[in-house]
Amino acid sequence: MQRNILWIIGFCIVGTSVWASNKAGVVIVNSTGEIITRCVEFEEEFLTSEQLLQRSGFKIIIKESMGKTILEYLHDDGIADGSANPFGWQWNLFLQNEGGWQLSTEGIASTTIHPKDVIGLQYGSPNPSNIPPRTYMDVCAVTSHAGLVIDHFDGERKVIQVEFPGESITGLQLLMKSGLPVE
């Protein structure tokens, strides 16, 4: 009977897991040189950099001008009121290309982002030398911890902390990584 209970719990948790989500990284260099990174999860095979930014949780303001989508404001930097920037600065989109950054030739609405891609955004000059060499692993590889509590029928309780890569794990994976014998 104990095996059946564990199986049912494991089965229910596996069905609600987000373990298989796709992820892509965002590296931002604002006008003061501050570097901000974020790992963004998505279920689609790909999306645009605009969609990635919209899901990042950063505050963004986007404007359509002459058939182009322009990023005006991102995470506390840029022009939030629609006025012209006195320095002529703008947000520049960079893509990682064989270990370096390359200025995107497409706008944010048409640049395709795939799982494990990393985009760089810099407010100011379109010079990629100011963006640090962050990889997908730098931005999205996270070591997490979860607690596993097992109450046995005889009243014994086991509490185990389990370390795992990534941001989430299923109940069954957590049980398998615990080191406990599982039948």
Side-chain angles (χ1 to χ4, degrees), residues 72-93:
E72 290 198 331
Y73 185 86
L74 173 62
H75 186 65
D76 298 328
D77 208 349
I79 304 298
D81 63 4
S83 63
N85 184 302
F87 305 110
W89 287 2
Q90 62 184 14
W91 281 103
N92 297 288
L93 174 64

Side-chain angles (χ1 to χ4, degrees), residues 2-66:
Q2 185 177 7
R3 288 185 199 147
N4 290 338
I5 291 172
L6 286 175
W7 175 251
I8 290 170
I9 292 171
F11 179 74
C12 292
I13 295 172
V14 169
T16 61
S17 172
V18 293
W19 184 257
S21 291
N22 295 320
K23 298 176 187 174
V26 177
V27 178
I28 298 170
V29 178
N30 68 16
S31 62
T32 64
E34 180 184 13
I35 299 164
I36 304 109
T37 63
R38 179 139 323 150
C39 188
V40 181
E41 293 184 339
F42 56 98
E43 293 297 326
E44 299 89 332
E45 289 182 41
F46 60 88
L47 39 72
T48 67
S49 56
E50 178 182 5
Q51 292 168 319
L52 186 71
L53 287 174
Q54 289 170 339
R55 296 178 192 186
S56 70
F58 292 124
K59 181 179 178 183
I60 63 172
I61 297 176
I62 296 173
K63 176 176 101 175
E64 297 293 325
S65 176
M66 297 187 293

Side-chain angles (χ1 to χ4, degrees), residues 2 27 31 33 54 64 73 108 112 132-133 140 153 155 157 162-163 171:
Q2 185 177 7
V27 178
S31 62
Q54 289 170 339
E64 297 293 325
Y73 185 86
I108 65 167
T112 304
C140 292
F153 289 112
R157 174 177 276 184
V162 180
E163 184 176 288

